[in-house]
Amino acid sequence: GLNTELEIHSLTAELESLKNPQGLGLSSHLDGLREENAKLKYRLNVLKRSLQEERSQCSKTMMNINQRLQEIFGEAIREACPDLENPPLAVTPNQQAKFGDYQCNSAMAMAQMMKSKGLKVNPRQIAENIQQNIPDNELIEKTEIAGPGFINVHLKRSFVSKLLTNLLLNGVQPPPLESKKKVVVDFSSPNIAKEMHVGHLRSTIIGDSMCRLFEFLGYDVLRLNHVGDWGTQFGMLIAHLQDKFPNYLTVSPPIGDLQAFYKESKKRFDEEEDFKKRAYQCVVKLQSKDPAFIKGWNLICDVSRNEFQKVYNCLDIQIIERGESFYQEKMTAVVKEFEAKGLVEMDEGRKIVFAPGQQIPLTVVKSDGGYTYDTSDLAALRHRLFDEKADIIIYVTDSGQGTHFQVVFAAAQMIGWYDPNVTRVEHAGFGVVLGEDKKKFKTRSGDTVRLMDLLDEGLKRSMEKLKEKDRDKVLSTEDLTKAQRSVAFGCIKYADLSHNRINDYVFSFDKMLDDRGNTAAYLLYAFTRIRSIARLANIDEAALRKAAETTEVLLEHDKEWKLGKCLLRFPEILQKILDDLLLHTLCDYLYELATTFTEFYDSCYCIEKDRQTGEVVKVNMWRMLLCDATAAIMAKGFDILGINPVSRM
C-alpha cells in the first residue's frame, strides 16, 4: 500500500513537470512528451485503482470513512482549482438522511478565498467543477449539489455492508498507525499527606481515558503520577513524627489518619516557634539525604500511597509514580542550562526567566536559594523530552494551571528543547467540580470531600438503584456485587467524561444513576439488553461467527442503513478526540449509537416469534449481525472510557 502511494506521488510530480515544458519549440519533442504523458496518466490510474482495491480488501483495521472522503475530495479540489493554495477541505456526516450520508462544503469557503483575490466565482460553479473531478473510488454511489454549493454524498450500500462484515470478522481494530509514537500522560498527581479530592478525581478519570485511547490506537504510552512528594511541608511532618513516634526507625509508626497528623503538625508549625525552627532544620537534613530523614519521609509517603491506591483499585487505574522528588537532582542542571544561554535575569535576589510572548516570568530559583514548581516542571519536561523521548506529552490538571504551563512550554521552546510542529506538548485543562447547589463541592461542614467516602456513597446508591429494579431477586450475590461496582464506578466516570472537560461540572448522584438520558446507567442497561438478544434466541458465538463469514449484512431498511453508517463512524470519532482531546465526543457518540440501535430494534424484527406459542419461527441473521456489531463497538467505547460492563444486570 505504502509503495503504491509513494509511486503515485512521484508520478504525479512527473506529470506536473510535463504540463509546463520549458520553451521546447520542437513539435516532434512535444509529441513524444504527449505520448509519455498519456502513458504516465494511464499507469497512474492503474496504480490508483489497485490501491483502492487493496484498501477495501486487505484492511483488517476499520476505515475512517470521513478521512477517505477527504482524500477523494482533496484530489478533486486540486484538479478543479490547481491555483488555489491550501484550499479548505471540509467533509462532515449529514444530519438529515434525505440529503445523503456525508457532505463536502468546501465550495463556499473557496469562493470566499477567490473573492479575496479579486476573482468573482459562484460557489455552485466551483461545486460542479469539484463534482466533475471526483476520482474513481470505491465508496461513493452518487453526489448531488444542493443550496449555495453543498456537495451531498451518498455512500454505496454494498461498500458499507462490506465494511461491516470486516468489522464482524476482525473485531474492532484501530486504524493503521504511520509510526509508533511515544506518549507521556501526566495525570492524577495528588499531594502526599493530603487528601485526594474531587479535582484529583477528574484528573484521574480524564487522564486514564486519554491513555486508554492512545493505547488502543497503538501508541507507546507512559502514564505518570507526578505526586507532590517533596517540599517544605515535609520538614514539619518529620519533626512531628520524631516527637510523636520517637522510635520510628525501628518500629513502624501507626499513623492511621495522615490528615489528622498533617493538621496537628501544621498547628504546631503555626504556633510553636522552636518547632518551626526544627521543621526548617529537618528540611535541610532531608535535602542533604540524611538516611534517618529519608526513612521518615518514606514512611509518610507510604501511608499516603496506600490511601491513593485504594482509589486507584476502585477505578481500575494503572499509573507509575514519579513524583517531584525524582527531579530534585535534575533541577540544578536545568538552571545552569538557562544561565549558560543567558536567559536568566536577577530580580530582588530571585532568578527569573522571561519567555517570548508571556507576561509572567518563571521563577527558577527563590531568593533563599530554593527551587519552585517552575523549576521542577521544567526539569520534568526536559526529562520527558530527552530521556523518555516523548513525541506527545499531555498534562491533565485543572484549568487554573493553564497559564503556568503556557509559560513553561514557551520557555522550553525558547531554549530549543522542542519544536511544537514536531512534538506535541499540551495542557488538557478541566473545570472545577461543583455541588448540586452550583457552589464548590464540599461536605455539609465545609470540608473537602474524601474520595473514598464519595466512592463508597456511589456503591451504596447503585445498590439501592439495583434493588429498586428488583435485580437482587434475579441475580446471584456475586453477579449483584459485580453489577453494583460496574454501575457505581461506571456512572462516576461517565458523568465526568460526558461533559466537555473545559466546563465546570456539577456532581450529582441522582443525575448520573438515572437510567434515562445520556448516562452510564442507561448505556450499561442498553448494552446488556443488546447482548442478551442472541442469547434469548439461542444463537451462540459460533453461529454468529459462521453467519459473519457467510451472510451479507443487508441494509435495505432505513433504520438498518442508519445504524450501519453510525457504527462505521467510530474511527472518525476517535480521530477527532485524538486532535482535540475532548472525550465527551465519544460519550455523545455512544449515546447516539444506543438510540439509533433502539430505533432499529423497534422497527426491524431480529427474531420472529409465533404469537400463540412464543416459539422462535424465524431468525433474521443479518440483523443479528447488526446487533453483534453494535455490541462490539459499544464494548470498545466502554473500554476507552474505563467502564467495565457486566454480562448480567
Side-chain angles (χ1 to χ4, degrees):
L2 189 60
N3 289 350
T4 318
E5 278 183 57
L6 289 172
E7 202 175 334
I8 287 178
H9 204 76
S10 70
L11 283 173
T12 314
E14 214 173 316
L15 273 170
E16 281 304 314
S17 70
L18 286 174
K19 271 185 191 163
N20 37 17
Q22 259 67 40
L24 299 162
L26 310 164
S27 60
S28 64
H29 192 82
L30 264 178
D31 289 341
L33 280 176
R34 285 200 188 99
E35 200 174 314
E36 179 73 357
N37 195 352
K39 277 184 187 159
L40 276 172
K41 266 202 162 141
Y42 176 75
R43 172 94 186 108
L44 192 58
N45 286 329
V46 170
L47 279 170
K48 280 184 181 165
R49 264 201 302 279
S50 77
L51 186 62
Q52 275 160 16
E53 277 164 21
E54 212 175 304
R55 270 212 175 97
S56 49
Q57 250 100 56
C58 76
S59 171
K60 282 207 159 149
T61 60
M62 284 188 78
M63 175 189 286
N64 181 334
I65 295 179
N66 196 325
Q67 214 170 356
R68 182 71 190 103
L69 287 171
Q70 284 183 34
E71 288 169 15
I72 291 169
F73 277 99
E75 205 174 312
I77 288 169
R78 275 195 303 280
E79 287 288 325
C81 307
D83 307 330
L84 214 53
E85 281 287 303
N86 293 328
L89 184 56
V91 176
T92 50
N94 253 336
Q95 293 311 313
Q96 289 167 292
K98 60 174 184 230
F99 294 131
D101 308 313
Y102 283 81
Q103 186 175 71
C104 169
N105 38 25
S106 298
M108 284 72 73
M110 286 165 69
Q112 283 306 112
M113 266 175 99
M114 291 176 174
K115 198 172 165 188
S116 68
K117 291 187 179 165
L119 293 165
K120 212 165 151 33
V121 192
N122 178 348
R124 215 181 149 98
Q125 186 70 55
I126 300 176
E128 280 168 15
N129 208 346
I130 295 172
Q131 187 184 32
Q132 278 150 18
N133 280 289
I134 293 174
D136 265 358
N137 63 80
E138 72 282 25
L139 72 166
I140 298 176
E141 178 73 51
K142 61 170 181 185
T143 55
E144 296 156 341
I145 297 171
F150 295 108
I151 305 175
N152 287 326
V153 178
H154 296 259
L155 298 175
K156 286 184 182 164
R157 301 216 168 193
S158 60
F159 180 73
V160 170
S161 167
K162 201 185 314 179
L163 288 185
L164 288 165
T165 298
N166 269 354
L167 164 65
L168 288 158
L169 293 176
N170 302 310
V172 186
Q173 302 293 342
L177 261 193
E178 280 121 52
S179 59
K180 191 167 180 151
K181 290 186 170 158
K182 174 79 176 271
V183 185
V184 171
V185 184
D186 170 329
F187 68 107
S188 193
S189 311
N191 292 311
I192 296 285
K194 293 189 188 162
E195 276 288 1
M196 267 180 102
H197 55 74
V198 280
H200 296 122
L201 178 68
R202 286 210 80 181
S203 173
T204 305
I205 290 171
I206 295 167
D208 176 56
S209 182
M210 284 180 188
C211 292
R212 286 167 179 271
L213 174 66
F214 281 113
E215 284 157 355
F216 170 63
L217 294 171
Y219 292 81
D220 175 14
V221 181
L222 178 63
R223 304 154 157 259
L224 289 185
N225 203 357
H226 191 76
V227 296
D229 63 353
W230 201 253
T232 44
Q233 80 268 27
F234 280 99
M236 66 179 198
L237 290 166
I238 292 172
H240 189 49
L241 180 74
Q242 290 171 332
D243 294 348
K244 205 168 170 183
F245 305 106
N247 57 350
Y248 75 90
L249 287 171
T250 49
V251 180
S252 185
I255 310 176
D257 188 346
L258 194 55
Q259 272 53 54
F261 186 85
Y262 185 87
K263 281 180 185 154
E264 287 164 18
S265 69
K266 180 87 175 85
K267 190 171 186 303
R268 291 183 65 191
F269 185 81
D270 294 340
E271 292 168 8
E272 305 170 23
E273 205 41 54
D274 51 336
F275 180 78
K276 193 174 194 163
K277 280 200 185 104
R278 259 187 55 224
Y280 278 125
Q281 288 161 353
C282 287
V283 174
V284 176
K285 287 268 177 64
L286 179 60
Q287 283 181 333
S288 65
K289 300 273 196 286
D290 179 309
F293 289 81
I294 291 285
K295 172 97 197 246
W297 171 70
N298 265 320
L299 285 168
I300 293 163
C301 289
D302 279 341
V303 180
S304 254
R305 263 178 213 128
N306 293 338
E307 288 301 308
F308 301 157
Q309 199 50 49
K310 287 179 191 163
V311 173
Y312 297 146
N313 290 346
C314 281
L315 298 175
D316 188 23
I317 307 290
Q318 304 294 324
I319 192 163
I320 292 168
E321 184 183 318
R322 191 178 285 172
E324 286 166 24
S325 60
F326 178 84
Y327 303 101
Q328 287 314 297
E329 310 297 308
K330 303 178 171 29
M331 292 199 278
T332 321
V334 165
V335 176
K336 283 209 177 101
E337 188 176 340
F338 274 89
E339 284 177 328
K341 300 216 170 145
L343 299 171
V344 175
E345 298 172 32
M346 292 305 290
D347 173 71
E348 296 175 359
R350 303 181 306 150
K351 292 184 177 178
I352 61 171
V353 171
F354 275 99
Q358 304 297 326
Q359 264 66 59
I360 316 157
L362 295 172
T363 301
V364 289
V365 184
K366 293 187 296 196
S367 50
D368 66 2
Y371 295 130
T372 66
Y373 277 133
D374 295 349
T375 336
S376 65
D377 275 330
L378 281 170
L381 179 53
R382 190 181 194 289
H383 185 264
R384 290 160 187 180
L385 288 165
F386 293 101
D387 298 68
E388 293 299 348
K389 300 193 175 24
D391 302 293
I392 302 174
I393 306 174
I394 296 164
Y395 292 79
V396 187
T397 73
D398 65 282
S399 299
Q401 296 178 47
T403 343
H404 161 71
F405 281 114
Q406 211 176 317
V407 186
V408 170
F409 300 163
Q413 287 169 43
M414 167 177 78
I415 198 169
W417 286 352
Y418 76 95
D419 171 355
N421 299 316
V422 179
T423 309
R424 178 180 182 184
V425 179
E426 206 171 319
H427 173 240
F430 53 82
V432 255
V433 182
L434 306 171
E436 306 212 29
D437 56 1
K438 306 276 194 293
K439 293 196 181 69
K440 236 176 157 181
F441 194 67
K442 292 268 193 276
T443 61
R444 293 229 170 100
S445 60
D447 292 329
T448 37
V449 179
R450 290 189 59 228
L451 275 197
M452 276 319 290
D453 295 345
L454 191 73
L455 296 176
D456 286 339
E457 166 87 359
L459 286 168
K460 191 175 124 259
R461 299 282 298 262
S462 89
M463 184 55 91
E464 284 164 11
K465 196 85 193 162
L466 288 162
K467 287 188 165 160
E468 225 173 84
K469 287 182 162 303
D470 287 338
R471 304 319 290 156
D472 51 329
K473 307 214 170 40
V474 286
L475 294 177
S476 68
T477 324
E478 190 190 351
D479 281 345
L480 187 64
T481 310
K482 274 189 186 156
Q484 173 195 23
R485 292 181 71 87
S486 168
V487 171
F489 303 140
C491 285
I492 290 172
K493 288 181 178 185
Y494 191 86
D496 196 320
L497 294 167
S498 58
H499 292 89
N500 185 329
R501 63 176 158 77
I502 302 190
N503 304 333
D504 293 347
Y505 150 64
V506 176
F507 189 98
S508 155
F509 275 125
D510 290 337
K511 275 210 193 88
M512 63 177 75
L513 289 163
D514 189 351
D515 49 27
R516 294 163 306 212
N518 187 4
T519 64
Y522 166 70
L523 287 174
L524 286 164
Y525 284 121
F527 179 71
T528 311
R529 210 178 57 242
I530 296 169
R531 291 274 298 268
S532 67
I533 295 168
R535 195 174 65 231
L536 296 173
N538 294 323
I539 299 167
D540 60 4
E541 288 290 313
L544 279 170
R545 175 84 210 168
K546 190 162 173 15
E549 287 165 6
T550 53
T551 311
E552 186 190 353
V553 181
L554 300 174
L555 302 165
E556 279 149 22
H557 192 290
D558 288 354
K559 300 299 182 193
E560 293 172 339
W561 178 234
K562 188 176 172 187
L563 177 59
K565 286 185 304 179
C566 186
L567 287 164
L568 296 177
R569 273 190 20 240
F570 189 59
E572 60 198 69
I573 297 292
L574 299 188
Q575 183 55 50
K576 184 179 183 314
I577 302 170
L578 199 56
D579 297 338
D580 60 22
L581 302 177
L582 296 171
L583 290 150
H584 66 272
T585 313
L586 177 53
C587 300
D588 293 345
Y589 167 76
L590 288 175
Y591 183 59
E592 185 191 335
L593 181 57
T595 47
T596 307
F597 179 83
T598 305
E599 285 176 22
F600 153 79
Y601 193 68
D602 291 345
S603 23
C604 302
Y605 289 116
C606 296
I607 303 156
E608 296 174 32
K609 291 182 177 172
D610 184 296
R611 286 271 165 91
Q612 264 67 49
T613 63
E615 234 179 302
V616 175
V617 194
K618 183 174 175 215
V619 172
N620 295 325
M621 210 55 186
W622 77 96
R623 288 180 177 160
M624 295 305 296
L625 290 175
L626 279 169
C627 295
D628 201 33
T630 306
I633 296 276
M634 281 184 82
K636 187 45 78 183
F638 283 147
D639 193 34
I640 291 170
L641 297 171
I643 294 172
N644 186 12
V646 285
S647 48
R648 303 191 95 97
M649 228 166 100

